[in-house]
Amino acid sequence: MNLNIAPRGWNSWDCYGASVCEDTVRQNAEFMAKHLKQYGYEYIVVDIQWYEPTAENHSYHPFTELCMDEFSRLIPAENRFPSSKGGKGFAPLADYVHSLGLKFGIHIMRGIPRQAVHRNTALLGTERTARQIAKTASICSWNTDMYGVDPAQEGAKEYYESIFRLYAEWGVDFIKCDDIAREMPHEETELILLSNALKSCGRDMVLSLSPGPALPEKAELYKQTANMWRITDDFWDNWDQLYDMFSRAQVWSCHTGAGHWPDADMLPVGPILQDYDKSNRTRFTKDEQITMMTLWSIFRSPLMIGGEMTGFDDFTLALLTNENILKMHESARHSHQVWRREIDGKEHILWTADSAEGGRYVAVFNCGETESKITVPLSDLELFGTYQGQELWSGNTLSVHSAISASLPAHGAKAYYLAPCTN
């Protein structure tokens, strides 16, 4: 498992909520293998309630019947994932994703099914039962599927070890664990228990924590227990949320590094909310999408696609596969905001990062409502002399003597790579 680069992949939530089915997952995996794998996208992640037979959109059916085995472990709903029949679980689907050269992931909720607790079902590897390890006062505020697990109870460790052993048998490579990132310290001990169980399961898996906002004062705990953690609640396609992400990225930029990645959430691009209306597409303008991809890449957030990939247009595919921008995502180091200023009534933001291969990355953003010219003196970047550069989105080369100047559309961005002249 190479986590020197923040993970890149696809997650089913933005399109299908809780209702994604096997055929859709396979189709998106095939698209990724054909069009995106060569650009480092590799994870195919099935989001919430794959164990709920009647799931139909981004809403949940409270206290509904879930698919569960005899050891209190949730299993795929066979009507939605027919290859799981006969106790195979997600193994056949994971095998198919792996056959395409990709990796397979699933969403889970922290805790143990309420259904298991109410029925007092067995746990694998212990004489204890579901009711004896449950923390029934620890519940999710927006989903009724689970109770928390009390790490102090005998049998809690065995329960978590049993679910991760099952996921390892299925061939899972990525776990998105929900209802665990923003309620610290209430679930802190459960996070540690869960993380230890994953690490001991015998298979490498990325652990991603949701939802946000994660707590900056717990950054070191997240680094020790997980690989990704959400710095925001669900991120959707509106400018206000994108604008807010600049502040969040500024706070968290010092915590990015190999194996641990503050997560700005999925990229809601292309067709989204397909469970409600097949004609829905992102409301972001093209310039806003460029701003989003630029910020996510210089900040080094994971790049998890939210749109229905088989419906991508040329612009969306080009947005996600710009090799210069993806190189910045891979090679940026010590990323940080340099300044944030209001000039002539328009807000400009400047970010920079060192390149692991030498040179410097620079990203400029116009958060104003009209086109604006932005000038960045090299001295603001603590650079002096003459630099050869490239604007990453266009590929255009430039020579920079004292400043970078650019005209940016409303909510637009440009990104540059600068290297000192050698003659």
Side-chain angles (χ1 to χ4, degrees), residues 180-197:
I180 202 164
R182 68 182 178 198
E183 301 296 334
M184 303 294 169
H186 186 53
E187 282 85 26
E188 184 170 330
T189 54
E190 190 170 358
L191 169 58
I192 294 169
L193 178 68
L194 180 152
S195 175
N196 288 339

Side-chain angles (χ1 to χ4, degrees), residues 300-314:
R300 296 200 291 167
S301 170
L303 299 178
M304 301 300 290
I305 299 163
E308 168 56 61
M309 291 188 288
T310 63
F312 280 177
D313 57 18
D314 291 343

Side-chain angles (χ1 to χ4, degrees), residues 91-104:
L93 182 54
D95 286 345
Y96 182 71
V97 171
H98 294 155
S99 76
L100 299 173
L102 303 174
K103 297 179 180 179
F104 180 71

Side-chain angles (χ1 to χ4, degrees), residues 104-309:
F104 180 71
I106 59 173
H107 172 289
I108 66 172
M109 294 292 292
R110 169 187 66 89
I112 189 166
R114 294 191 192 189
Q115 170 178 304
V117 175
H118 298 160
R119 297 174 185 175
N120 203 25
T121 47
L123 305 174
L124 185 63
T126 177
E127 296 299 316
R128 305 281 285 180
T129 62
R131 191 174 298 164
Q132 291 173 304
I133 70 166
K135 187 187 292 185
T136 56
S138 177
I139 59 175
C140 178
S141 62
W142 42 267
N143 179 277
T144 61
D145 292 346
M146 313 292 272
Y147 288 127
V149 164
D150 184 352
Q153 295 298 319
E154 181 186 346
K157 176 176 177 285
E158 288 78 5
Y159 166 71
Y160 266 120
E161 288 177 342
S162 76
I163 65 171
F164 285 110
R165 280 201 302 271
L166 179 65
Y167 304 153
E169 291 168 5
W170 288 347
V172 172
D173 306 293
F174 186 109
I175 297 289
K176 175 184 174 183
C177 184
D178 220 332
D179 190 38
I180 202 164
R182 68 182 178 198
E183 301 296 334
M184 303 294 169
H186 186 53
E187 282 85 26
E188 184 170 330
T189 54
E190 190 170 358
L191 169 58
I192 294 169
L193 178 68
L194 180 152
S195 175
N196 288 339
L198 182 152
K199 291 173 182 176
S200 67
C201 75
R203 183 177 180 84
D204 285 337
M205 300 182 198
V206 172
L207 178 57
S208 170
L209 307 181
S210 289
L215 304 178
E217 64 269 24
K218 294 296 180 180
E220 297 307 318
L221 174 66
Y222 301 137
K223 291 177 188 178
Q224 293 167 27
T225 55
N227 306 111
M228 300 164 46
W229 56 91
R230 283 262 297 280
I231 64 173
T232 179
D233 204 338
D234 285 1
F235 176 78
W236 287 106
D237 51 334
N238 68 78
W239 171 249
D240 287 345
Q241 285 190 318
L242 179 52
Y243 177 76
D244 177 65
M245 198 62 70
F246 284 97
S247 297
R248 297 180 186 276
Q250 179 189 11
V251 169
W252 283 100
S253 60
C254 63
H255 295 293
T256 60
H260 47 84
W261 309 102
D263 178 14
D265 202 12
M266 289 168 280
L267 300 163
V269 296
I272 59 174
L273 295 170
Q274 297 288 283
D275 56 344
Y276 289 120
D277 185 340
K278 294 298 180 185
S279 67
N280 282 337
R281 298 189 71 87
T282 185
R283 295 173 296 173
F284 278 137
T285 67
K286 289 182 178 180
D287 290 318
E288 288 167 348
Q289 292 176 68
I290 288 171
T291 287
M292 174 176 61
M293 190 69 177
T294 303
L295 179 60
W296 266 235
S297 295
I298 196 167
F299 171 55
R300 296 200 291 167
S301 170
L303 299 178
M304 301 300 290
I305 299 163
E308 168 56 61
M309 291 188 288

Side-chain angles (χ1 to χ4, degrees), residues 243 337-350 365-368 372 374-377 379-381:
Y243 177 76
Q337 179 180 294
V338 179
W339 48 247
R340 187 170 186 162
R341 297 173 178 168
E342 186 170 312
I343 301 175
D344 297 328
K346 302 177 180 68
E347 187 175 10
H348 296 166
I349 299 175
L350 172 65
F365 304 90
N366 173 20
C367 294
S372 181
I374 183 169
T375 299
V376 178
S379 58
D380 285 6
L381 300 164

